[in-house]
Amino acid sequence: MDQPDIQTKPAFTTGELAQACSTTVRTVQYYDSKGLLSPTERTEGGRRLYCTQDAEQLQFILMLKGLGLSLAQIKGVLESPNRNTLLRMMLQEQEQKVQQELQQSQAQLESIRSLARDIDLFGKPVATTHRDMAQRMNDKKSQRNWRITAVVVGLIMDVAWIGTLVFGILKGIWWPFPIALIAVAIAAAVLVASYNAHASFICPACEAEFRPAMWPFFISRHTPNTRKLQCPHCHTKDWCVERWHAQKLSTRLGDCLSKGKHS
């Protein structure tokens, strides 16, 4: 007499199947009602019985559901004669969807951080609409790109004057050194002018936003986010908060972009 196949012999009630697969009875019943999971047998009293293969199928369903596939997609995979091919196509589609969601979430995260930084720096949100926030994010990206460019130019400047200095010491030929120093000075001036063309500052005393004149800007003490400047509106000299703009500013140096609260 043949022995029953252990893999297909009913071994679980609905509750036992749910417990074995770390899910709920209601979930098993729901998948059964949707045609995703059918009992191997039913007792005379109508009690559902499941086998080990049913448990494996339920675990497979739960895994695909956890990956974000819909029940309709999962049912299509289970019923398809080309299961692996169809599943591969669905996983590729799901991967693209998740990538888009990740990009959206990353953009949201950057916006949250930008808004929090603005409140810390300016004492209030700079962006109050979606359009404002998009502009703020564009400003931040522009500032990062400028800083990368400045680092690269700075390294080239260091190589130029240090290299010509070493060359002069070793070879006794000094004429390249002053040329390098002049080139470095010009490059530094261009960097400062470029920076000043995009930067405005907000006075902590009157909240006016202004562009400083070139020389005060050049010689002022500064931190990564502030500079010690004199406000052209209230004439207070204090640590003013920097605001970067992606587009070059048309306001003249030394003038205000916006008046302060003491206007």
Side-chain angles (χ1 to χ4, degrees), residues 16 34 72 138 222 237 244 247:
E16 291 169 342
K34 293 297 183 181
N138 189 40
H222 61 89
K237 189 171 185 179
W244 179 271
Q247 300 297 324

Side-chain angles (χ1 to χ4, degrees), residues 2 9-10 19 36 44 67 75 95-96 103 126 133 137 141 149 155 160 166 174 186 194 215 218 238 245 253 256 260:
D2 295 335
K9 180 180 177 181
Q19 184 177 10
L36 293 167
E44 292 181 0
L67 295 178
K75 186 175 182 180
E95 181 181 4
Q96 293 176 354
Q103 291 174 359
V126 174
M133 180 55 70
M137 299 311 298
K141 182 178 179 181
T149 300
L155 290 175
V166 173
W174 290 99
I186 293 173
S194 171
W215 182 246
F218 187 78
D238 202 347
H245 302 262
L253 295 178
C256 293

Side-chain angles (χ1 to χ4, degrees), residues 47-257:
R47 191 179 188 186
R48 291 172 169 81
L49 296 176
Y50 300 89
C51 67
T52 303
Q53 288 180 342
D54 297 328
E56 291 174 352
Q57 178 157 312
L58 176 57
Q59 290 174 330
F60 184 62
I61 293 169
L62 292 170
M63 181 192 69
L64 294 183
K65 191 71 172 67
L67 295 178
L69 270 65
S70 68
L71 294 183
Q73 289 175 311
I74 295 172
K75 186 175 182 180
V77 170
L78 296 176
E79 295 177 351
S80 174
N82 301 303
R83 171 186 291 194
N84 292 336
T85 301
L86 179 60
L87 179 58
R88 178 62 177 158
M89 292 171 60
M90 289 184 176
L91 290 176
Q92 288 176 339
E93 181 180 346
Q94 184 64 12
E95 181 181 4
Q96 293 176 354
K97 180 182 177 181
V98 171
Q99 287 286 359
Q100 291 175 351
E101 291 174 349
L102 283 174
Q103 291 174 359
Q104 292 174 353
S105 296
Q106 184 62 37
Q108 287 179 333
L109 182 59
E110 290 180 1
S111 296
I112 290 169
R113 290 173 175 171
S114 177
L115 190 60
R117 283 194 299 267
D118 285 349
I119 293 174
D120 291 338
L121 288 172
F122 305 112
K124 62 181 180 180
V126 174
T128 56
T129 66
H130 287 298
R131 183 176 181 179
D132 291 343
M133 180 55 70
Q135 183 59 53
R136 287 295 291 150
M137 299 311 298
N138 189 40
D139 291 343
K140 295 287 185 182
K141 182 178 179 181
S142 169
Q143 186 177 38
R144 284 195 298 268
N145 291 339
W146 188 93
R147 286 176 173 172
I148 292 172
T149 300
V151 169
V152 173
V153 172
L155 290 175
I156 295 173
M157 290 162 58
D158 287 341
V159 169
W161 77 266
I162 295 174
T164 54
L165 175 62
V166 173
F167 181 77
I169 294 172
L170 295 178
K171 301 295 185 179
I173 301 175
W174 290 99
W175 64 264
F177 182 60
I179 294 176
L181 288 181
I182 293 171
V184 167
I186 293 173
V190 170
L191 279 178
V192 172
S194 171
Y195 190 89
N196 200 19
H198 292 269
S200 65
F201 293 85
I202 298 177
C203 172
C206 70
E207 297 183 5
E209 184 175 358
F210 65 95
R211 291 187 67 195
M214 180 61 73
W215 182 246
F217 174 84
F218 187 78
I219 64 173
S220 62
R221 290 185 293 162
H222 61 89
T223 70
N225 297 307
T226 62
R227 278 184 181 267
K228 192 71 173 289
L229 297 167
Q230 184 173 11
C231 173
H233 178 63
C234 68
H235 306 292
T236 300
K237 189 171 185 179
D238 202 347
W239 290 97
C240 299
V241 181
E242 176 190 289
R243 182 179 176 187
W244 179 271
H245 302 262
Q247 300 297 324
K248 288 186 177 180
L249 297 171
S250 58
T251 307
R252 293 184 306 174
L253 295 178
D255 286 352
C256 293
L257 281 71

